[in-house]
Amino acid sequence: MRYKIENALRHFKYAGLTNFLCLIALAFFILILTTFLFNNSSVYKELENKESTPPLLAFLNDTVVEDDARLFANQIQKNHKILYIHYISKQENFKRYEKQFGRLGRWIKDSFSGSNPFPASLEIYVEPSGVSRTSLEKIAYEIESYDKVDDVKLTGHGVISDIVRQTNRITIACIILSGLITLFVIRAAVLKTGRIRVTEIQLLNLIGATRGYLRTPFIIHGMFLGIFGNIIGVFSFYILYCIFTSQLGVLEFIPAYQILGVIVSGGFIGIISGILAQRKCLRLI
Amino acid sequence: MIQLHQVSYAYSDLSVLERASFRLERGEFGFLVGESGSGKSTLLKLLYRELYPTAGSISVLGQHLSDLTSSTLPFFRRKIGIIFQDSKLLETKTVEQNLEIPQKLIGTKLRILRENVNNLLHQIGLIHHKDSRPSEISMNERQRLTIAMAIINSPLLILADQPTEIFDPNLTLEMLSLLDALNFQGTTVLVTTSDPELPNFYSEKKNTNVKRVFTLKDGQIST
């Protein structure tokens, strides 16, 4: 085992420049990937924050009494995309604004000669699968056409959901692409090292080295490049995050499980690349 | 020990061996004489299974080579010491490191490995070159190192592919004496040469009887 490890470690010494360039290339692509992951997690957090607010707010005319409003709510709830509707009376709305804005809410009421200017409203919750900017606009347009409704407001759910979907697609594409690039770059670096060692491998093979003895350096080399390339990439992104943290505001860094995922996948892809390089290299001898 | 039965081998259209047969018993010292390009190296490659015969069967060390799998082949090869015609030394390693390779492969403990390597370096007269690279030593010394690499694991069989071609008569005698000493300890030795006088030269100089001389000509082996 001692010689196997020694043999594997000695493998790194060959093609030092290639290994260095490979680490730089991997770090660069992982930096891009982590940027997308960061963007993705930030958008998700934004969506999570939005979950406490309804996607649609329908403000009712002042002439609509509570019973009529509830009846109207039942009527529009027949739309299969609407999950449920919550009625908010004028008083409750006033209390909310007062709570949110403090004395400002009371000043508004005072400026309207003591009458409550806040309208009653319907908080409309939609099936999560149906949340998109277009579908919400369509529902809003339908609701707005009723006489009882004064105005319908979109709270930004649709836009955020659309951004989440787009970001998801881009991030998945980026993950696949960086996986393939990692595979290609590591395979090329390990193969180059293998080609430099081809005479040694030929000799070892002829004097009785087992496949395991010949294979181990390739696999460990690939794994090393994958893990360290990804660590450098993530660390570079962390440095950029620290530099620009004042501009980024309250945005949090990528979750720990994603960082771990990136590094572990790097190691895993490295092992596969090492095996591929070794198969090609052993075919040469 | 070595048995070839009706073995044929061809590189594409060029036939090298045609239904060749021969037998070398355990503990024997054999010379395989043949002209350059007659297929001596090919025959040795067939014996340590770097090449597969196109027909016939080969048995070495009681093992039918056709029965060997990729997992058993390395362990079979460890029982054979091969002296390659083209040295096959690693130029990036020192003389000592080159000699360590076969020992490391079989997992010899470091203390014993150092002892074995030093002893053998003394024996072949390369101890003062142990930190040199193969490119820094003479052709004779390179060949001696190749022989040392082949014998360091005390193999049961030594296959030597023209080991004395570049040596002068004195060194030839010295190298053959080394192989003869191993043979005396029970190791079977098969040496290929393109010099038909080598077996007689050795017998006369050492005053010993070479037990077997095989001649390889036109793809056939004769005794």
Side-chain angles (χ1 to χ4, degrees):
Chain A
M1 181 54 83
R2 178 200 166 98
Y3 300 130
K4 266 190 186 178
I5 295 167
E6 190 185 303
N7 188 30
L9 294 177
R10 217 183 314 110
H11 189 87
F12 299 147
K13 285 189 192 169
Y14 298 92
L17 181 67
T18 311
N19 288 338
F20 176 73
L21 291 175
C22 172
L23 286 174
I24 298 290
L26 287 180
F28 175 72
F29 288 111
I30 295 305
L31 178 68
I32 294 171
L33 173 68
T34 43
T35 310
F36 278 101
L37 287 175
F38 175 72
N39 180 37
N40 190 265
S41 69
S42 304
V43 174
Y44 260 102
K45 275 189 197 109
E46 187 69 22
L47 188 67
E48 274 171 19
N49 293 337
K50 283 271 176 199
E51 267 170 8
S52 56
T53 59
L56 287 169
L57 275 175
F59 297 104
L60 301 172
N61 284 325
D62 277 351
T63 52
V64 181
V65 293
E66 188 172 342
D67 288 345
D68 284 350
R70 289 189 188 280
L71 207 66
F72 174 64
N74 285 338
Q75 190 188 337
I76 59 171
Q77 202 167 344
K78 283 172 189 162
N79 184 327
H80 64 279
K81 283 179 182 168
I82 295 172
L83 200 62
Y84 67 94
I85 298 173
H86 184 53
Y87 172 74
I88 311 288
S89 67
K90 280 170 74 73
Q91 285 72 24
E92 204 177 332
N93 259 339
F94 173 70
K95 279 180 196 163
R96 281 187 184 182
Y97 279 91
E98 203 174 31
K99 196 178 170 186
Q100 195 174 352
F101 298 109
R103 278 182 298 176
L104 185 67
R106 224 169 297 127
W107 289 343
I108 294 170
K109 193 180 178 184
D110 291 346
S111 64
F112 280 88
S113 317
S115 65
N116 179 3
F118 295 101
S121 61
L122 296 175
E123 288 183 350
I124 302 164
Y125 292 88
V126 179
E127 288 277 357
S129 58
V131 178
S132 73
R133 194 175 59 85
T134 337
S135 65
L136 288 178
E137 276 178 359
K138 201 175 165 189
I139 296 168
Y141 184 74
E142 277 175 30
I143 294 169
E144 209 170 8
S145 64
Y146 290 99
D147 294 340
K148 293 181 175 68
V149 178
D150 187 34
D151 189 20
V152 179
K153 193 185 163 203
L154 294 160
T155 57
H157 264 254
V159 176
I160 295 285
S161 299
D162 284 354
I163 292 173
V164 164
R165 268 190 281 273
Q166 280 172 6
T167 315
N168 272 350
R169 273 185 227 125
I170 295 169
T171 309
I172 289 167
C174 193
I175 289 170
I176 295 168
L177 199 65
S178 40
L180 290 172
I181 290 169
T182 305
L183 191 84
F184 175 77
V185 169
I186 297 178
R187 183 185 168 273
V190 179
L191 191 60
K192 172 129 197 219
T193 314
R195 281 192 171 134
I196 292 171
R197 281 188 66 218
V198 78
T199 320
E200 184 181 348
I201 295 167
Q202 271 174 345
L203 175 70
L204 290 170
N205 184 44
L206 288 176
I207 62 175
T210 57
R211 287 267 145 178
Y213 192 92
L214 298 176
R215 190 176 289 154
T216 314
F218 287 86
I219 294 172
I220 293 179
H221 187 192
M223 193 173 73
F224 169 85
L225 288 177
I227 290 174
F228 279 87
N230 286 14
I231 287 176
I232 295 169
V234 172
F235 186 70
S236 309
F237 181 74
Y238 180 72
I239 292 170
L240 289 178
Y241 173 80
C242 290
I243 292 169
F244 296 106
T245 195
S246 54
Q247 283 96 323
L248 292 168
V250 290
L251 291 181
E252 286 174 28
F253 194 62
I254 314 164
Y257 76 90
Q258 285 189 9
I259 295 173
L260 197 69
V262 168
I263 295 167
V264 170
S265 335
F268 182 69
I269 294 171
I271 290 173
I272 296 171
S273 313
I275 293 171
L276 292 175
Q278 164 263 323
R279 287 177 70 171
K280 170 109 181 175
C281 202
L282 293 191
R283 245 182 274 139
L284 294 174
I285 65 170
Chain B
M1 179 58 77
I2 297 177
Q3 190 174 2
L4 264 80
H5 182 69
Q6 303 281 304
V7 170
S8 301
Y9 186 81
Y11 290 103
S12 303
D13 297 336
L14 180 68
S15 177
V16 182
L17 293 172
E18 278 179 54
R19 294 175 166 271
S21 299
F22 87 94
R23 192 181 170 93
L24 186 71
E25 296 299 333
R26 186 176 180 168
E28 281 188 318
F29 192 123
F31 281 99
L32 181 68
V33 183
E35 287 173 2
S36 183
S38 60
K40 300 182 294 299
S41 299
T42 303
L43 180 67
L44 291 194
K45 283 177 182 175
L46 288 168
L47 292 179
Y48 57 81
R49 228 196 77 172
E50 192 183 348
L51 298 175
Y52 299 82
T54 43
S57 68
I58 304 172
S59 173
V60 178
L61 299 169
Q63 175 83 53
H64 285 285
L65 298 197
S66 55
D67 295 341
L68 289 170
T69 61
S70 58
S71 54
T72 55
L73 180 63
F75 298 97
F76 163 76
R77 282 181 178 165
R78 287 179 191 183
K79 295 178 197 164
I80 304 172
I82 309 163
I83 300 167
F84 300 100
Q85 189 181 4
D86 54 352
S87 294
K88 287 202 192 301
L89 297 173
L90 303 182
E91 304 297 333
T92 54
K93 294 184 192 296
T94 63
V95 167
E96 188 182 32
Q97 286 168 339
N98 268 286
L99 200 48
E100 282 174 356
I101 295 170
Q103 286 267 285
K104 284 182 175 178
L105 213 59
I106 58 168
T108 311
K109 284 185 179 170
L110 196 61
R111 189 179 54 80
I112 302 169
L113 178 145
R114 297 251 181 266
E115 210 175 287
N116 291 346
V117 168
N118 271 323
N119 286 344
L120 201 52
L121 282 173
H122 271 294
Q123 213 177 324
I124 60 169
L126 286 179
I127 191 71
H128 57 288
H129 279 308
K130 71 174 192 173
D131 296 322
S132 309
R133 307 269 164 197
S135 56
E136 293 161 1
I137 59 177
S138 69
M139 285 303 281
N140 287 344
E141 288 166 334
R142 282 174 71 94
Q143 194 63 0
R144 269 188 272 164
L145 180 59
T146 311
I147 294 169
M149 283 175 74
I151 65 175
I152 193 164
N153 285 350
S154 308
L156 298 171
L157 169 68
I158 290 176
L159 300 174
D161 194 2
Q162 305 183 57
T164 58
E165 298 296 294
I166 55 162
F167 289 165
D168 59 36
N170 286 337
L171 275 167
T172 300
L173 204 59
E174 196 184 306
M175 278 303 114
L176 289 177
S177 299
L178 182 66
L179 293 175
D180 198 29
L182 289 163
N183 177 242
F184 186 72
Q185 289 163 17
T187 309
T188 312
V189 181
L190 180 64
V191 178
T192 67
T193 179
S194 55
D195 178 8
E197 295 306 314
L198 185 70
N200 292 332
F201 164 78
Y202 182 65
S203 303
E204 283 166 18
K205 291 282 180 187
K206 296 290 286 184
N207 201 19
T208 58
N209 291 322
V210 174
K211 286 180 185 168
R212 307 291 294 273
V213 178
F214 306 97
T215 308
L216 179 58
K217 194 175 181 185
D218 301 328
Q220 298 289 320
I221 299 170
S222 55
T223 309

